[in-house]
Amino acid sequence: MACLRTPIFPTIITVMFVIALVALQGAVLHAGAADTFSADQPLSGSQKPLVSKRGKFALGFFQPVNSLHWYIGIWYNKIPGQVPVWVANRNFPVSNPELSSLTISTDGNMVLLDDSRSVVWSTNTMAITSSTVGVILDNGNLVLADASNTSVILWQSYNHFGNTWLPGGKLGRGELNGGSTSIVSWKTFSDPAPGLFSIVLDPNGTSQFFLLWNSTQQYVTSGNWTGHSFSNMPEMAPTNGYPNSMYVLDYVDGANGSYGLYDVKGDELTTRLILDATGRINVFTWTESKWILYWSAPKAQCDVYSLCGSFSVCTQGTQSCSCLHGFSEQYEGQWSQVFLMRKWFKKVAPVEGSLMAFRYRDVQTLTKNFSSKLGGGSFGSVFKGSLAEGTLVAVKKLEGFHQGEKQFRAEVSTLGTVRHVNLIRLLGFCSERTRMLLVYEYMPNASLDRYLFGSSHEPVLSWSTRYQIALGVARGLHYLHERCRDCIIHCDIKPENILLSDTFVPKVADFGLAKLMDRDFSRVLTTVRGTIGYLAPEWIAGTAITTKADVYSYGMVLFEIVSGMRNVRQRQDNTVYFFPLLVAMKLTEGNLKGLMDTRLGCDVDLVEVERVCRIACWCIQDEDSRPSMATVVQVLEGLVDVNVPPVPRSLDLVMEQSTYMEFSSELPSA
Ligand SMILES: *[C@@H]1O[C@H](CO)[C@@H](O)[C@H](O)[C@H]1NC(C)=O
Ligand SMILES: *[C@@H]1O[C@H](CO)[C@@H](O)[C@H](O)[C@H]1NC(C)=O
Ligand SMILES: *[C@@H]1O[C@H](CO)[C@@H](O)[C@H](O)[C@H]1NC(C)=O
Ligand SMILES: *[C@@H]1O[C@H](CO)[C@@H](O)[C@H](O)[C@H]1NC(C)=O
Ligand SMILES: *[C@@H]1O[C@H](CO)[C@@H](O)[C@H](O)[C@H]1NC(C)=O
Ligand SMILES: *[C@@H]1O[C@H](CO)[C@@H](O)[C@H](O)[C@H]1NC(C)=O
Ligand SMILES: *[C@@H]1O[C@H](CO)[C@@H](O)[C@H](O)[C@H]1NC(C)=O
């Protein structure tokens, strides 16, 4: 055995995101403003959100805090945390944003199509005769407008309130508002479906606004309009208390209907009124990088009607619900949510990126004291847990973590903003002294290695499933490398870090941990069993690590997806079997026979197999010759052809010493 040079590992670097105009998108970039979509240029989850003309609001697919569902929403483009101000498909989330789109249907309405091209939401406006487009405006209003003159508005989100009243919106009764007469809370802080609380203008004709429970029970009334304020809320008068009288509050009683108007002078002040899931109205302003609560009603949380449900008592002092004597809690944990949620969300702004901050005690409860271990990853053990509303989670207990709490929170909040259907979603974290934990969405079908190399009890993944897994992982990595705000190099791509959803959608796990674990990371990488076969040569050479290191590891995984075996195996006669080399040789011969996982039988698409083998071989070339993940995605999507690659130089050494020719006739026994 020769000696290897002692590895000197570089600090893993994070490169600022460089906007990459991928050729793939050439087709959809041809025209149109960044604030507009149309039938020709729909908005899908694989694209960047639309942004209003002066950049204040964004429109796109988003996931609410602690939700795994996707919605079309509007949020503040420049304020962290994707604070939603309007949601289109409140009752009908989609699960696959990449394949869903917001577009214009043949009848001119704005529609949301899911991955099976079914309409899940529509503006449902009748008798549209012109050609139309959708535009997100700088006041947060989404409009359906005449394509030839966008001042002609056929439908607008301002007439269809969600839980938020934005400045300029009119809430009232009668026809003035085109039908929208109430603000309706979300069901929970993570579910935009209509909840039990609403704000309406008295349908019986007075000028009072009511807060209602279940559409009938009044628990707050604004009082009548006095000419400059509402009688029960004098503090809301624009001249009282608000800075420089920037607010405008008005009530208009017209022939065609009446409405209240809440607005601001100029557009320097960013403010919103929201009816939250616990039945309170809150008015927030964005001041010095924080949401400041300016006003709320009712003042006491316990004054919300029926907050704790039937046969219960709400105690303001301790902020808790309890049962009347002789009754017991119907849904365990539901109440603690009411008050805990308030603490987390009060929309004290949550940690940047909208992650939930758990106390260690909470994590103990939700994992039943760490009783169900799912596995041991590179940086610590993973446990199964369950949030109060039943959502399953995977909790990772980080070990050997040496950074300070502050730095941990900063890194983690960046990871919280990473949202992609092929990346595991981080839901929250816990950092108490030396205890650092990460809370992730739970994947029922474990990781890819189990199906490729596991026992014969596991089902065989069909070729089309394998291809979708390869493509999904490529998309996830592409997003990490190029689409999110800071470039993230994964550094540890291997089948163990590719998790599978209930429908075998692949999700890359453990991204961002390399940076989080800093120096320890390189040590862990080289000592953890099973990782070394995926490491790019630059890890050994000690040169800088770039996104191309992930491309190399990804290529190694592709080979294993094809063969269903580890790339490196020792044969009985002690010679080493190295699958990538075999593929490289076979590709130059133009004959891929015998390479496939024998369990697949005839279930293969030879065009796709060749494509996968070619791109895999390109991925493990010298760093400069490796494709970007963007190119890999294009190749796998069949949009770009790829040449036969040369035998990678990194394999030369192996080739000199190997007896690869024997492989073709004799695969190693499993
Ligand atoms: C566009 O529509 C608005 C509102 O109807 C109208 O005032 C304006 O003149 C129209 N502009 C053009 C160029 O037709
Ligand atoms: C409207 O008036 C009717 C009849 O007086 C009353 O029963 C109802 O509760 C009132 N509705 C509201 C929302 O006050
Ligand atoms: C709300 O009211 C409806 C009828 O108006 C009733 O069927 C429903 O049970 C009520 N919801 C709750 C939570 O009490
Ligand atoms: C508002 O006005 C109506 C009718 O003018 C009256 O019945 C009601 O009591 C007033 N509300 C309050 C809170 O004073
Ligand atoms: C009231 O509605 C009628 C008919 O739709 C319309 O002609 C009129 O301009 C409206 N008046 C106001 C003040 O909006
Ligand atoms: C969890 O375990 C610790 C120590 O083993 C114990 O003190 C604590 O009471 C347990 N908590 C629960 C919820 O079981
Ligand atoms: C995958 O997950 C689904 C949903 O939990 C489950 O029904 C199915 O049995 C799982 N498949 C395998 C192979 O584990």
Side-chain angles (χ1 to χ4, degrees):
M1 278 292 284
C3 296
L4 282 179
R5 184 151 78 86
T6 311
I8 307 160
F9 292 104
T11 307
I12 292 138
I13 51 168
T14 300
V15 188
M16 281 306 290
F17 164 40
V18 179
I19 296 171
L21 282 185
V22 178
L24 155 67
Q25 281 163 353
V28 291
L29 281 175
H30 52 75
D35 61 355
T36 303
F37 68 89
S38 63
D40 291 341
Q41 296 172 274
L43 172 67
S44 95
S46 59
Q47 287 157 258
K48 283 170 180 293
L50 297 184
V51 173
S52 63
K53 200 165 261 160
R54 288 198 314 264
K56 185 153 183 182
F57 286 95
L59 169 78
F61 288 84
F62 83 106
Q63 289 181 303
V65 175
N66 198 24
S67 164
L68 299 176
H69 297 303
W70 292 85
Y71 298 86
I72 283 288
I74 297 172
W75 62 89
Y76 296 94
N77 182 45
K78 291 176 183 160
I79 294 178
Q82 285 195 333
V83 174
V85 296
W86 187 79
V87 177
N89 49 324
R90 290 182 74 168
N91 270 316
F92 307 101
V94 294
S95 53
N96 196 340
E98 297 265 299
L99 300 178
S100 306
S101 60
L102 185 64
T103 185
I104 303 292
S105 68
T106 46
D107 70 1
N109 273 295
M110 195 185 289
V111 288
L112 173 63
L113 304 178
D114 69 7
D115 51 4
S116 61
R117 314 291 298 161
S118 316
V119 175
V120 291
W121 174 85
S122 163
T123 51
N124 253 330
T125 295
M126 298 300 172
I128 299 172
T129 51
S130 53
S131 149
T132 54
V133 292
V135 188
I136 176 71
L137 304 180
D138 262 313
N139 55 4
N141 194 8
L142 171 64
V143 300
L144 178 69
D146 190 320
S148 59
N149 179 354
T150 53
S151 305
V152 179
I153 291 174
L154 304 160
W155 177 96
Q156 53 184 324
S157 63
Y158 260 39
N159 284 350
H160 299 268
F161 282 88
N163 68 346
T164 303
W165 191 348
L166 287 177
K170 296 169 184 173
L171 180 68
R173 58 177 172 247
E175 289 161 19
L176 269 171
N177 268 7
S180 174
T181 50
S182 59
I183 289 177
V184 180
S185 68
W186 287 17
K187 208 166 183 175
T188 68
F189 281 90
S190 48
D191 184 354
L196 280 172
F197 304 102
S198 57
I199 308 175
V200 296
L201 181 59
D202 181 2
N204 284 352
T206 74
S207 57
Q208 310 177 83
F209 280 93
F210 297 135
L211 254 180
L212 302 181
W213 176 83
N214 202 14
S215 307
T216 49
Q217 186 67 45
Q218 289 172 23
Y219 61 96
V220 171
T221 167
S222 68
N224 293 300
W225 179 250
T226 63
H228 67 280
S229 70
F230 291 96
S231 63
N232 289 354
M233 306 180 162
E235 75 279 15
M236 273 293 271
T239 46
N240 294 349
Y242 290 99
N244 309 324
S245 297
M246 281 204 283
Y247 281 85
V248 178
L249 196 63
D250 201 359
Y251 177 77
V252 177
D253 211 355
N256 295 353
S258 309
Y259 61 86
L261 175 72
Y262 142 77
D263 209 342
V264 288
K265 293 178 187 153
D267 59 2
E268 294 99 84
L269 187 64
T270 294
T271 175
R272 67 198 160 99
L273 179 153
I274 176 172
L275 176 59
D276 76 19
T278 62
R280 275 175 112 180
I281 300 177
N282 299 303
V283 177
F284 290 105
T285 62
W286 180 252
T287 310
E288 290 170 1
S289 301
K290 276 200 288 290
W291 285 109
I292 304 289
L293 180 63
Y294 255 84
W295 182 83
S296 67
K299 290 289 173 237
Q301 180 69 64
C302 285
D303 288 346
V304 172
Y305 185 82
S306 192
L307 180 70
C308 298
S310 322
F311 311 113
S312 61
V313 192
C314 184
T315 311
Q316 188 63 32
T318 53
Q319 293 261 308
S320 63
C321 297
S322 55
C323 292
L324 290 178
H325 186 68
F327 293 88
S328 59
E329 204 176 338
Q330 193 174 6
Y331 306 106
E332 211 183 322
Q334 208 179 28
W335 283 336
S336 57
Q337 289 283 310
V338 172
F339 291 104
L340 264 183
M341 286 294 195
R342 289 210 64 82
K343 255 199 291 192
W344 280 331
F345 289 89
K346 217 162 63 63
K347 302 261 290 201
V348 195
V351 180
E352 187 175 331
S354 304
L355 289 173
M356 293 204 285
F358 291 91
R359 295 167 305 176
Y360 191 71
R361 258 194 297 153
D362 300 331
V363 183
Q364 278 180 317
T365 309
L366 68 90
T367 59
K368 297 208 170 72
N369 236 347
F370 302 100
S371 55
S372 171
K373 188 167 169 173
L374 293 170
S378 303
F379 308 103
S381 304
V382 182
F383 299 88
K384 190 170 174 176
S386 170
L387 300 183
E389 75 272 16
T391 306
L392 293 178
V393 292
V395 177
K396 183 160 207 144
K397 230 178 174 173
L398 294 177
E399 280 152 21
F401 184 81
H402 299 301
Q403 298 196 35
E405 192 171 326
K406 205 168 162 190
Q407 194 174 354
F408 176 81
R409 292 174 84 104
E411 287 298 334
V412 162
S413 61
T414 307
L415 294 182
T417 63
V418 176
R419 307 267 167 95
H420 188 275
V421 67
N422 296 119
L423 299 173
I424 284 284
R425 169 87 183 276
L426 181 64
L427 300 172
F429 69 95
C430 166
S431 64
E432 271 181 23
R433 294 183 298 277
T434 57
R435 289 164 173 159
M436 309 287 180
L437 301 102
L438 297 172
V439 179
Y440 290 101
E441 65 177 315
Y442 172 78
M443 285 294 117
N445 281 337
S447 50
L448 181 60
D449 56 308
R450 194 168 112 181
Y451 300 89
L452 292 182
F453 326 124
S455 70
S456 52
H457 301 302
E458 303 300 344
V460 175
L461 295 180
S462 70
W463 173 252
S464 70
T465 303
R466 292 183 199 211
Y467 198 82
Q468 286 312 312
I469 289 172
L471 184 53
V473 173
R475 286 182 175 143
L477 284 176
H478 172 218
Y479 183 86
L480 279 185
H481 289 175
E482 294 181 19
R483 304 291 290 265
C484 49
R485 219 181 311 162
D486 294 328
C487 162
I488 296 173
I489 306 175
H490 189 293
C491 297
D492 197 16
I493 290 296
K494 55 184 176 183
E496 287 78 356
N497 277 336
I498 296 168
L499 304 187
L500 300 169
S501 78
D502 53 351
T503 55
F504 289 93
V505 172
K507 298 190 184 239
V508 176
D510 275 6
F511 56 86
L513 293 195
K515 178 120 185 293
L516 193 64
M517 303 305 282
D518 198 37
R519 191 162 299 280
D520 269 347
F521 183 74
S522 44
R523 207 180 60 221
V524 169
L525 268 190
T526 48
T527 52
V528 169
R529 205 168 141 256
T531 287
I532 198 83
Y534 305 91
L535 285 185
E538 52 268 29
W539 285 98
I540 312 293
T543 52
I545 295 300
T546 70
T547 53
K548 294 293 179 71
D550 283 348
V551 174
Y552 181 96
S553 310
Y554 172 79
M556 284 298 183
V557 172
L558 283 186
F559 288 116
E560 297 183 332
I561 287 176
V562 169
S563 71
M565 283 187 273
R566 296 275 186 199
N567 284 333
V568 187
R569 291 167 72 98
Q570 198 157 30
R571 302 191 325 168
Q572 263 147 13
D573 62 1
N574 278 339
T575 54
V576 171
Y577 167 84
F578 191 55
F579 186 70
L581 181 60
L582 174 61
V583 175
M585 297 306 299
K586 290 273 205 169
L587 277 174
T588 51
E589 289 166 18
N591 169 20
L592 293 178
K593 255 211 199 122
L595 291 179
M596 298 298 302
D597 186 340
T598 50
R599 290 173 294 179
L600 285 168
C602 302
D603 166 35
V604 286
D605 178 327
L606 287 173
V607 174
E608 287 178 355
V609 171
E610 171 139 16
R611 197 184 282 156
V612 168
C613 288
R614 284 188 183 189
I615 197 70
C617 273
W618 278 110
C619 288
I620 61 167
Q621 303 284 330
D622 281 351
E623 194 177 341
D624 291 344
S625 312
R626 289 175 213 156
S628 66
M629 285 317 296
T631 306
V632 173
V633 170
Q634 287 175 273
V635 168
L636 292 179
E637 283 176 341
L639 298 173
V640 168
D641 278 335
V642 62
N643 296 333
V644 175
V647 174
R649 284 223 322 233
S650 62
L651 302 184
D652 280 356
L653 186 76
V654 188
M655 193 159 65
E656 275 169 26
Q657 302 169 351
S658 74
T659 50
Y660 61 90
M661 282 307 182
E662 292 170 33
F663 300 158
S664 52
S665 54
E666 190 194 342
L667 289 167
S669 53

